[in-house]
């Protein structure tokens, strides 16, 4: 039932409401709270009160790609923040390098994963980027059971630095996203992706892994070997001089 009274028959309703930081205690204690509603901390995760640190879903963090303040409620970063605060409390100086938002979701047979910045975040930050899409197999095509992984790779046009990635598929999505996430954290480029030496056996991968192929596709764009049109460009094509050919499987 919608707020305006409209009703829709449904067997299942999923509410993607998101989460908000519970910063009431911080506000009551007079701590600085950011524009997104999270507690503001410095690089050592110390709040505006030098005797108080904060970690986890309640804090705003710097995004490693855009540098913008973000709310990124993930368990991995929260645990690492806790370790950093423990070091600081016991006199071992440590700093938090930011969060890049590597995440994975399982829904039915599908797995979806992402890392780094998406197009919206990059555009908002004023960072130039290029995009390639590819659909490589989850493992060697001649071995039974291979299924496509839809991959989107975002990279800097000038340096080729990896800025973000997203993928959806049934098998091997998490493995590939961990590869992209590690490359992004290390400041690697699409040339590095193309040259990565990754584990291969026909049941689990290909001699040219999807991570390698993403780097190679981006290389082709950066070198001018291919011209890429994005989906948003299709309505602007002149039907008199252009042909759109759908080569997807049924």
């Amino acid at each position: 039932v919608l707020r305006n009274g409209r009703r829709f028959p449904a067997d299942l309703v999923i509410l993607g409401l998101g989460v908000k930081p519970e910063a009431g205690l911080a506000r009551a204690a007079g701590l600085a709270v950011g524009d997104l509603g999270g507690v503001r901390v410095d690089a050592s995760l110390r709040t505006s009160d030098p005797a108080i640190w904060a970690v986890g879903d309640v804090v705003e963090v710097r995004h490693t790609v855009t540098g913008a303040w973000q709310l990124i409620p993930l368990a991995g970063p929260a645990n690492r923040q806790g370790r950093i605060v423990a070091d600081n409390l016991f006199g071992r100086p440590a700093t938090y390098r930011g969060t890049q938002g590597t995440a994975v979701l399982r829904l039915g047979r599908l797995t979806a994963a992402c890392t780094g910045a998406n197009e919206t975040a990059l555009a908002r930050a004023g960072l130039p980027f290029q995009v390639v899409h590819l659909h490589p197999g989850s493992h060697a095509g001649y071995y039974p059971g291979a299924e496509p992984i839809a991959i989107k790779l975002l990279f800097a046009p000038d340096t080729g630095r990896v800025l973000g990635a997203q993928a959806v598929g049934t098998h091997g999505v998490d493995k590939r996203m961990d590869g992209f996430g590690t490359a992004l954290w290390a400041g690697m480029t699409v040339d590095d992706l193309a040259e990565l030496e990754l584990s291969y056996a026909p049941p689990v991968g290909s001699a040219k892994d999807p991570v390698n192929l993403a780097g190679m596709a981006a290389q082709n764009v950066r070198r001018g070997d291919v011209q890429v049109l994005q989906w948003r460009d299709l309505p602007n094509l002149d039907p008199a001089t252009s042909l759109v050919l759908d080569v997807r499987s049924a």
Side-chain angles (χ1 to χ4, degrees):
V1 181
L2 302 187
R3 183 176 294 143
N4 62 10
R6 293 185 65 190
R7 294 171 174 266
F8 295 93
D11 298 314
L12 173 68
V13 176
I14 299 174
L15 301 178
L17 301 178
V19 295
K20 292 194 301 183
E22 177 45 82
L25 179 61
R27 285 194 176 89
L31 304 182
V33 175
D35 295 335
L36 301 175
V39 178
R40 279 287 172 88
V41 292
D42 63 14
S44 69
L45 300 169
R46 191 191 302 259
T47 69
S48 56
D49 184 320
I52 301 176
W53 282 260
V55 302
D57 296 359
V58 78
V59 302
E60 293 184 9
V61 294
R62 290 287 191 184
H63 196 283
T64 53
V65 176
T66 66
W69 288 108
Q70 299 271 259
L71 291 171
I72 306 178
L74 292 171
N79 277 268
R80 294 194 298 278
Q81 291 163 16
R83 181 181 174 91
I84 288 170
V85 167
D87 282 343
N88 284 315
L89 289 174
F90 284 92
R92 179 184 293 163
T95 58
Y96 186 65
R97 293 167 54 188
T99 305
Q100 66 188 46
T102 304
V104 64
L105 166 72
R106 183 77 180 183
L107 183 61
R109 292 184 65 247
L110 289 177
T111 299
C114 64
T115 191
N118 58 25
E119 287 196 37
T120 301
L122 291 170
R124 186 184 298 124
L127 296 175
F129 63 91
Q130 286 181 301
V131 180
V132 291
H133 298 261
L134 60 156
H135 301 79
S138 55
H139 61 250
Y142 59 81
Y143 191 90
E147 297 197 37
I149 302 175
I151 295 175
K152 177 178 181 177
L153 177 66
L154 302 101
F155 56 96
D158 52 350
T159 64
R161 177 180 168 232
V162 177
L163 300 176
Q166 296 134 43
V168 180
T170 55
H171 303 296
V173 172
D174 54 336
K175 169 182 173 177
R176 274 64 189 219
M177 196 53 59
D178 285 343
F180 289 125
T182 301
L184 191 154
W185 187 257
M188 295 168 70
T189 69
V190 296
D191 297 318
D192 296 318
L193 292 183
E195 296 297 327
L196 281 178
E197 187 172 325
L198 302 170
S199 59
Y200 157 61
V204 296
S206 297
K208 291 195 291 289
D209 189 85
V211 174
N212 299 131
L213 290 173
M216 294 174 183
Q219 283 181 322
N220 292 342
V221 172
R222 294 192 67 234
R223 293 169 178 171
D225 295 339
V226 297
Q227 258 187 310
V228 175
L229 288 177
Q230 299 299 329
W231 57 270
R232 66 175 66 85
D233 301 321
L234 291 179
N236 301 323
L237 294 178
D238 182 357
T241 58
S242 305
L243 172 68
V244 177
L245 181 63
D246 188 345
V247 297
R248 293 175 295 176
S249 65

